Amino acid sequence: MTVEFRVWAPAARRVSLRVGADTVPMTRAGQWFVASAEAGHGTDYGFVLDDESTPLPDPRSRWQPSGVHGLSRVYDHSRHRWGDAAWTGRQLPGSVVYELHVGTFTPEGTFDAAAARLPYLSELGVDLIELLPVNTFNGEWNWGYDGVGWHAVQESYGGPDGLKRFVDAAHRAGLGVIIDAVYNHFGPSGAYAPRFGPYLSGGANTWGRSLNLDEADSGEVRRFVIDSALQWLRDYHADGLRLDAVHALVDRGATHLLEELAVEVDALSAALGRPLSLIAESDLNDAKLVTAREGGGYGLHAQWDDDVHHALHALLTGERQGYYGDFGSPACFAAVWTSAFWHAGTWSSFRRRVHGRPVDRSRIPGHRFVVCLQNHDQIGNRAVGDRLTASLSPGLLRVAATLLLTSPFTPMLFMGEEFAARTPWQFFTSHPEPALAAAVADGRRSEFAEHGWLSDDVPDPQDPATFERSKLDWSARDESMLDLYRTLIRLRKSVPDLADPRLDRVRVVHDEGVLLIERGARTVVANLTKNPRTVPLSAGRILFTTDEAAFLQSGSATLPAESALIL
């Protein structure tokens, strides 16, 4: 069949299409070059710029079977026969999210192997699966944040067909799929898009050159991002996107890229007849991201809330290094549980400046904030990638789960958390270039030194053993912990007060290691101390407890050490 090939290359004098064994001159059409050629599904192709001899992969490639440095391959989306015609989607409010990394969720590390675990996730009670980035990166294993092909799917996971099979199977199991999308930088190896045009600005962020969102010729760069986002939702039937580190998207235009994206995603949602969610990761502590456009916001559906994680983690573990320095007090817990942010126009000692702004609790519901006890960052960015199971007692792990799953926010679990996994989740890469591999390893050691961790403790990201250690050990499941998570998720969905997102209706009282949280007609009590505590309470009955030794008597409840209950 005849296929039209197009590539944006505004500064090129000429571009040729290399398709199969043929070289076809391309015709300039404004800033684009266009050519038609006979090419069916599975045909390899690339673009040759000016006087170069080596063809480069298509910046908008849908398929990179030979890796990020290889030729692109024609991919026909219509070949897949979807089986999810009855799928009506999953809205974010009321949902429980489960974050997983395809490469380490199962021993095989593929979409098909992950799909075999979908009945387990369905039984657990989660609603949405959030996949760490699945677009193409250099090498065989990676967290995914070094992606360079923003329109293609990593081949070692199963490629585009594998992702479609996974999403199809998830929908048939009643589970939605969110894809983590990284648009704030290109990875350090295999990023050929900037060879074609001004995809990058003159500025930089933590990970390298920033994307060109507001400088000359930025219109096509913005379109490049939006088209990538829409294809995950439209062509792969995903139910939402988690947008990585949006604070690094520098856009000084009148309409921010995030707002423009939200408008187009809402339009696609209306056309498809199912909810589509945009979830931002942001370090700004600014609810403008999730404020409706009618109210002057960007209209995203939710944002990650690190303050809730930090408040819980520091309170339960006692850690105060790095950005945990301002967190950990019961007053901090009470503030984030009722107001979402701790830094809300207040001093941040880690940043050494005032940070954040208050959330309008009467207008913005808690479900717009995705919160967790653990996630890929908060585990993987520790020196040895240790989970909470390495620092908390079984009792406090149960208390933590109870607090998370009775919160007014959207709770998210990290793979294996629900069965008290002890396998670490470490930072791993497989860069083929020795110099790049060494630079990444040195950078990690320097970063951890700033947090007080010794460089000798930091595993080599390039060592295959680092990747293998990070795979879940399904044979070491704590079944009692798994039962607790299943019970708490079921309660959250069956007792409306426990999922009520109205922040202005949450009340927190704390006293000497005991937290009392009023959730409508329900009360959550947590004893964080190593001693039994008796707490004055009005009449009620125990709906749930992490320790069967808890009991009620006239006007009070007695909780064993490190336990929680729901009245």
Side-chain angles (χ1 to χ4, degrees):
M1 65 179 180
T2 302
V3 175
E4 183 182 73
F5 294 86
R6 294 168 51 84
V7 66
W8 182 58
R13 299 187 306 276
R14 58 185 176 276
V15 180
S16 298
L17 168 68
R18 187 78 56 83
V19 54
D22 299 327
T23 298
V24 180
M26 302 186 76
T27 302
R28 179 181 286 277
Q31 294 187 333
W32 290 74
F33 286 82
V34 182
S36 296
E38 291 298 313
H41 176 85
T43 302
D44 288 343
Y45 72 99
F47 299 114
V48 180
L49 294 174
D50 293 323
D51 298 325
E52 298 184 9
S53 58
T54 303
L56 302 179
D58 183 356
R60 289 173 172 257
S61 170
R62 296 174 176 176
W63 195 6
Q64 288 295 126
S66 299
V68 298
H69 298 294
L71 289 173
S72 301
R73 184 168 290 177
V74 174
Y75 184 82
D76 182 0
H77 279 297
S78 68
R79 289 169 59 90
H80 183 79
R81 297 293 177 259
W82 287 94
D84 64 350
W87 177 248
T88 57
R90 282 283 178 274
Q91 66 172 9
L92 193 63
S95 289
V96 176
V97 183
Y98 188 94
E99 185 187 33
L100 69 84
H101 176 264
V102 174
T104 53
F105 183 58
T106 64
E108 301 86 349
T110 64
F111 291 121
D112 289 338
R117 300 281 181 176
L118 290 171
Y120 163 85
L121 295 177
S122 181
E123 183 183 357
L124 175 61
V126 299
D127 305 280
L128 292 163
I129 302 166
E130 181 176 308
L131 301 177
L132 267 69
V134 297
N135 59 296
T136 55
F137 53 79
N138 195 23
E140 292 297 306
W141 54 81
N142 193 289
W143 277 19
Y145 297 92
D146 289 328
V148 293
W150 293 359
H151 293 70
V153 181
Q154 177 65 15
E155 193 69 16
S156 59
Y157 292 166
D161 286 349
L163 177 57
K164 288 182 177 180
R165 289 193 298 270
F166 177 83
V167 175
D168 220 350
H171 288 172
R172 292 196 299 271
L175 300 167
V177 178
I178 296 169
I179 292 176
D180 196 336
V182 184
Y183 297 129
N184 49 56
H185 75 290
F186 286 104
S189 178
Y192 291 102
R195 296 271 295 274
F196 287 85
Y199 285 87
L200 301 176
S201 74
N205 57 42
T206 304
W207 307 282
R209 293 273 299 280
S210 299
L211 210 62
N212 173 20
L213 299 178
D214 57 10
E215 296 176 3
D217 294 321
S218 59
E220 291 295 348
V221 181
R222 297 167 72 95
R223 194 68 250 168
F224 181 76
V225 172
I226 292 171
D227 287 349
S228 167
L230 295 179
Q231 63 121 21
W232 297 122
L233 303 170
R234 180 190 60 239
D235 300 329
Y236 291 94
H237 290 205
D239 300 279
L241 300 176
R242 181 262 191 188
L243 304 170
D244 182 67
V246 299
H247 51 271
L249 297 172
V250 178
D251 183 1
R252 290 159 293 213
T255 302
H256 195 282
L257 174 72
L258 293 175
E259 181 181 350
E260 186 177 350
L261 176 60
V263 169
E264 297 218 19
V265 168
D266 284 350
L268 180 61
S269 175
L272 297 176
R274 57 185 175 92
L276 301 174
S277 299
L278 291 176
I279 305 169
E281 181 200 20
S282 173
D283 186 43
L284 301 178
N285 277 26
D286 187 353
K288 180 179 182 178
L289 293 168
V290 296
T291 298
R293 291 188 295 278
E294 297 88 339
Y298 291 166
L300 303 180
H301 304 94
Q303 65 185 89
W304 275 25
D305 187 342
D306 281 348
D307 279 20
V308 172
H309 168 271
H310 298 349
L312 272 171
H313 183 95
L315 178 65
L316 294 170
T317 66
E319 291 184 9
R320 296 293 186 274
Q321 78 274 14
Y323 47 67
Y324 293 136
D326 291 338
F327 296 85
S329 68
C332 172
F333 172 89
V336 299
W337 231 244
T338 56
S339 304
F341 295 148
W342 175 237
H343 290 307
T346 55
W347 177 259
S348 165
S349 63
F350 179 72
R351 298 173 181 84
R352 297 175 63 186
R353 60 174 174 81
V354 171
H355 183 63
R357 72 163 69 180
V359 171
D360 186 340
R361 301 189 307 153
S362 66
R363 293 194 306 119
I364 299 178
H367 64 66
R368 295 201 185 280
F369 302 94
V370 177
V371 305
C372 66
L373 296 172
Q374 305 176 81
N375 62 36
H376 74 275
D377 271 332
Q378 304 303 339
I379 300 173
N381 284 329
R382 296 172 65 82
V384 295
D386 51 314
R387 296 169 178 260
L388 280 177
T389 47
S391 53
L392 292 185
S393 67
L396 284 182
L397 286 173
R398 288 169 166 78
V399 170
T402 304
L403 293 173
L404 175 72
L405 290 166
T406 59
S407 77
F409 310 109
T410 296
M412 183 179 75
L413 317 180
F414 183 69
M415 60 179 193
E417 169 189 331
E418 74 281 3
F419 59 75
R422 293 189 172 275
T423 47
W425 204 73
Q426 299 174 334
F427 181 70
F428 45 81
T429 56
S430 55
H431 296 303
E433 304 90 343
L436 176 58
V440 170
D442 290 344
R444 294 292 286 184
R445 294 189 189 99
S446 298
E447 180 181 347
F448 286 131
E450 295 177 3
H451 289 267
W453 284 306
L454 299 177
S455 61
D456 291 343
D457 295 333
V458 181
D460 181 0
Q462 286 285 122
D463 186 346
T466 304
F467 171 63
E468 292 297 328
R469 276 193 301 270
S470 298
K471 292 191 174 187
L472 274 182
D473 181 0
W474 288 86
S475 68
R477 297 192 324 198
D478 181 332
E479 295 295 334
S480 65
M481 185 67 77
L482 182 56
D483 286 342
L484 177 133
Y485 268 83
R486 287 172 177 156
T487 299
L488 283 168
I489 293 172
R490 187 170 59 250
L491 280 172
R492 182 177 180 87
K493 294 183 176 184
S494 61
V495 180
D497 285 337
L498 298 181
D500 188 343
R502 289 173 289 187
L503 296 174
D504 55 354
R505 297 197 179 191
V506 181
R507 181 171 176 265
V508 178
V509 177
H510 54 86
D511 179 45
E512 297 182 359
V514 174
L515 301 171
L516 188 150
I517 307 162
E518 293 182 0
R519 302 284 281 121
R522 308 296 174 180
T523 302
V524 180
V525 187
N527 176 13
L528 309 182
T529 74
K530 295 183 179 297
N531 301 300
R533 294 292 300 273
T534 298
V535 182
L537 289 171
S538 57
R541 65 180 180 87
I542 295 178
L543 184 65
F544 167 86
T545 180
T546 63
D547 191 321
E548 294 300 328
F551 64 90
L552 294 179
Q553 54 194 4
S554 179
S556 67
T558 298
L559 285 78
E562 298 179 342
S563 69
L565 59 79
I566 304 172
L567 291 180

